[in-house]
Amino acid sequence: MMSTPEGVGIPDVERDTTGEKLAAVRTLGAGAPVLAFDVGGTDIKSALFDVNGTALGLRRTPTPTAEGDRTAVIIERLGVLATELRAAHPDVVPQAVGLVVPGIVDADAGIGVFASNLGWHDSPLRDLASARLGLPVAFDHDVRAASWAEHRLGGARDYADAVVLVIGTGIAGAVLVGGKPYTAGGYAGEIGHSPIADGPECACGARGCLEAVASAGALARRYREATGVTPDGAKDVIARAAAGDQAAADIWSSALDALTLSLAQLTAVLAPQAVVIGGGLSRAGGALFDELRARLEARLSFHRLPVLVPAELSGNAGLIGAALRARELT
Amino acid sequence: MMSTPEGVGIPDVERDTTGEKLAAVRTLGAGAPVLAFDVGGTDIKSALFDVNGTALGLRRTPTPTAEGDRTAVIIERLGVLATELRAAHPDVVPQAVGLVVPGIVDADAGIGVFASNLGWHDSPLRDLASARLGLPVAFDHDVRAASWAEHRLGGARDYADAVVLVIGTGIAGAVLVGGKPYTAGGYAGEIGHSPIADGPECACGARGCLEAVASAGALARRYREATGVTPDGAKDVIARAAAGDQAAADIWSSALDALTLSLAQLTAVLAPQAVVIGGGLSRAGGALFDELRARLEARLSFHRLPVLVPAELSGNAGLIGAALRARELT
């Protein structure tokens, strides 16, 4: 729940024994060198961005585990990663750090309010990271940082009022209003945990959340529950639907209806100019985007329909957002 | 559709032959004298606000009718009303005018984009009113102006992030973000026309809109359709539900569920600090507010629940909002 959705079984990078090196990301443009960390429940993405905004040493390493609150082991790991990056690139002297995490995040206060898969409650992550790293730290929510990156450099850059949806294992979202992230103390953007039906039960404790019906994770789970067959991720369910598998078709259609209802609500209330969709499910391409456009148009009347566009920064939007946030401190 | 919901059969003012004099409204506080007009499909509310912010000559008169676009007859009527107000209060010289209208409104451009019950499409109301009245005109959407008034002087004054819902014949809404109305070119806040179910058909052309299920108008219509009995407005349906009428109870409960689902969506996505509810249905008091609070809490989990508060400016919030907008020009 509430974590950044990860991919759905479509690896876009190579793994090696020292963590996973990641493909080059879009550059930030010129500015101060900064360190950036995108901490998830499974992996930490890290990189050092130079004066050109090029990511150096970009890789993914496992998030260290611990009983309960993982704050201490993660902060320590950030210190090790930072030392390694600085040793490998001695000419690039970072001026600040960007750190983004999942869950409920109070960015202004620098606090990780809650993250079920990282075990913390009201953890003062910004100050702890700053003390360990000896640099000012910009702290933010992973998907809001990703949406900021999409706004500055990616699919949302033409739109001041936009919603970014990341559909993977879960569904996370962020709202941009007037070109700025709208946070509401960290509680805004929980589109994955907005109810759209009476069921099923969601891991968050509520029922009928969009994430429980329409995430990539839900598609795979629902197909397994319906047929007893474990599919190879959501993309397999969608492929089976296209090939005439009725159970797969029903599940995929109901997921599209749920996403449509959620987008219709967003359109009526916020009327964003664009909805930027990333995460593993967005790789379904036309099977997702064309269907959503057609169903949304059929569902509404006088409303101003948003443009539906794919996210452009792939799995690195959070890290790039962290780097952008760090640059704002310099 | 999309118009300011009016009362639901609970008159709070006396009618007379020259239009309806209205009860005194909250004062604006000190500032320039301004004229204010709140134009609806049925009535125009008008007043002259003096340097103390006291409303003079406040009354409600019928909106003139015409075939098709009512722009011309309304502009002319505003001229007559202004002349009468100025003649009655020669010492109060207005410096600006506030004009608010229903429908889709592009406040920045001064244009009434669309209002089904006033017949206009892309009507340059601000400039026409300014030419007729010889004063600068502040132009806005009626419910957004009302929400602004509630934020400045009423139930939303303690909350920078709030949603204002006006539940009457229809359901209209407005979103305040960071203490400012969020407009999205006039398309935001259409909470009444956000879909929450597969039916019934809504007057707007979509289906399952909140307004078609849960407005005061819908409650009365649905009871009539279910029983063949025409109730005395929504308050009568609610009273029958409380008295054990099963049809009334079912309709009222389903309306509360629909409102709850819509509030749950708002809470997940926007996490407003408060939802301010006005309009005729808000006079149901605890039958509405206590039920909504309990159902919303049961429907969500980790989310930050908004405070649910009644609007305080009654039916005059739109007019007060118009006056506040006019003051901003002086």
Side-chain angles (χ1 to χ4, degrees):
Chain A
M1 63 179 275
M2 294 171 291
S3 59
T4 309
E6 296 294 332
V8 285
I10 309 172
D12 55 1
V13 289
E14 303 283 324
R15 283 200 175 267
D16 70 15
T17 52
T18 60
E20 189 178 6
K21 290 177 185 166
L22 300 177
V25 299
R26 199 164 299 200
T27 68
L28 308 183
V34 293
L35 286 162
F37 301 100
D38 180 355
V39 174
T42 308
D43 294 310
I44 297 174
K45 289 180 198 162
S46 54
L48 175 62
F49 288 80
D50 67 14
V51 290
N52 299 315
T54 301
L56 306 173
L58 175 61
R59 64 175 175 155
R60 177 151 59 190
T61 49
T63 307
T65 55
E67 287 293 308
D69 187 343
R70 291 157 79 180
T71 296
V73 293
I74 287 170
I75 294 293
E76 178 52 29
R77 179 62 53 88
L78 297 185
V80 171
L81 289 168
T83 301
E84 291 177 5
L85 282 164
R86 296 180 70 165
H89 306 279
D91 297 341
V92 180
V93 181
Q95 305 296 305
V97 176
L99 170 62
V100 303
V101 303
I104 302 290
V105 171
D106 187 339
D108 291 338
I111 288 173
V113 177
F114 176 63
S116 61
N117 55 359
L118 293 164
W120 58 55
H121 288 269
D122 294 327
S123 180
L125 290 157
R126 182 179 61 199
D127 289 350
L128 291 171
S130 186
R132 178 67 181 81
L133 300 170
L135 287 168
V137 173
F139 180 68
D140 205 348
H141 181 256
D142 54 2
V143 178
R144 280 200 296 278
S147 76
W148 183 241
E150 290 287 346
H151 177 61
R152 289 286 303 279
L153 302 168
R157 65 187 171 279
D158 296 331
Y159 309 102
D161 299 327
V163 170
V164 177
L165 267 185
V166 183
I167 311 177
T169 307
I171 296 181
V175 177
L176 283 162
V177 165
K180 292 180 184 167
Y182 170 73
T183 63
Y187 288 90
E190 291 288 353
I191 297 159
H193 297 282
S194 59
I196 48 85
D198 272 337
E201 296 289 321
C202 179
C204 81
R207 65 182 199 281
C209 291
L210 180 64
E211 174 172 311
V213 178
S215 65
L219 284 168
R221 175 183 51 71
R222 292 174 65 203
Y223 186 79
R224 191 172 59 243
E225 289 171 1
T227 64
V229 175
T230 299
D232 183 18
K235 72 180 193 305
D236 186 27
V237 178
I238 298 169
R240 286 169 190 249
D245 177 332
Q246 193 59 47
D250 291 347
I251 288 166
W252 178 227
S253 186
S254 69
L256 287 167
D257 280 342
L259 287 166
T260 300
L261 189 62
S262 206
L263 291 178
Q265 289 269 351
L266 286 170
T267 301
V269 175
L270 284 177
Q273 297 162 296
V275 176
V276 180
I277 304 178
L281 202 67
S282 69
R283 295 175 209 156
L288 177 73
F289 287 90
D290 295 345
E291 279 291 336
L292 284 180
R293 278 188 203 103
R295 291 177 192 224
L296 187 61
E297 193 170 342
R299 184 78 233 220
L300 294 172
S301 61
F302 64 89
H303 311 71
R304 186 180 71 175
L305 298 183
V307 178
L308 304 185
V309 294
E312 293 181 7
L313 303 179
S314 182
N316 295 317
L319 190 72
I320 295 172
L324 289 168
R325 288 288 180 223
R327 281 248 176 114
E328 292 170 8
L329 296 181
T330 65
Chain B
M1 64 178 275
M2 293 171 290
S3 59
T4 308
E6 296 294 333
V8 286
I10 310 172
D12 54 0
V13 288
E14 303 283 323
R15 285 201 174 266
D16 71 14
T17 53
T18 60
E20 187 179 4
K21 290 176 185 166
L22 300 176
V25 299
R26 199 164 299 202
T27 68
L28 308 183
V34 293
L35 286 162
F37 301 100
D38 179 356
V39 174
T42 309
D43 294 310
I44 297 173
K45 290 179 198 162
S46 54
L48 175 62
F49 288 80
D50 67 14
V51 291
N52 300 314
T54 301
L56 306 173
L58 176 62
R59 64 175 174 155
R60 179 152 57 189
T61 50
T63 308
T65 56
E67 288 292 308
D69 187 344
R70 291 155 80 180
T71 297
V73 293
I74 287 170
I75 294 292
E76 178 52 30
R77 178 63 53 87
L78 298 185
V80 172
L81 290 167
T83 301
E84 291 177 6
L85 282 164
R86 296 180 70 163
H89 306 279
D91 297 339
V92 180
V93 181
Q95 305 297 305
V97 176
L99 169 61
V100 303
V101 303
I104 301 291
V105 171
D106 187 339
D108 291 338
I111 288 173
V113 178
F114 175 62
S116 60
N117 55 359
L118 292 164
W120 56 56
H121 287 269
D122 294 326
S123 181
L125 291 157
R126 181 178 62 199
D127 290 349
L128 291 170
S130 185
R132 178 65 179 82
L133 301 170
L135 287 169
V137 172
F139 179 69
D140 206 349
H141 181 257
D142 53 3
V143 177
R144 279 200 295 277
S147 75
W148 185 239
E150 289 287 346
H151 176 61
R152 288 287 302 279
L153 301 169
R157 66 186 172 280
D158 295 330
Y159 308 102
D161 299 327
V163 169
V164 177
L165 267 184
V166 184
I167 310 176
T169 307
I171 295 181
V175 177
L176 282 163
V177 166
K180 292 179 184 169
Y182 170 73
T183 63
Y187 287 90
E190 290 289 354
I191 297 159
H193 296 283
S194 58
I196 48 87
D198 271 337
E201 295 289 321
C202 180
C204 80
R207 66 183 199 280
C209 291
L210 180 65
E211 174 172 311
V213 177
S215 65
L219 284 169
R221 175 183 50 71
R222 292 174 63 203
Y223 187 80
R224 192 171 60 246
E225 288 172 359
T227 65
V229 176
T230 299
D232 183 17
K235 71 178 194 308
D236 186 26
V237 177
I238 298 168
R240 288 169 188 249
D245 178 331
Q246 192 59 48
D250 291 346
I251 288 166
W252 178 225
S253 186
S254 69
L256 287 167
D257 280 341
L259 288 166
T260 300
L261 189 62
S262 207
L263 291 178
Q265 288 269 350
L266 287 170
T267 301
V269 175
L270 284 178
Q273 298 162 295
V275 176
V276 181
I277 304 178
L281 202 67
S282 69
R283 293 175 211 158
L288 178 72
F289 286 90
D290 295 345
E291 279 290 339
L292 284 181
R293 280 187 202 103
R295 291 177 192 225
L296 187 60
E297 193 171 341
R299 185 76 232 220
L300 294 172
S301 61
F302 64 90
H303 311 71
R304 186 180 73 177
L305 299 183
V307 178
L308 304 184
V309 294
E312 292 181 8
L313 303 178
S314 183
N316 294 318
L319 189 72
I320 295 171
L324 289 169
R325 288 287 179 225
R327 282 254 176 107
E328 292 170 9
L329 296 182
T330 66

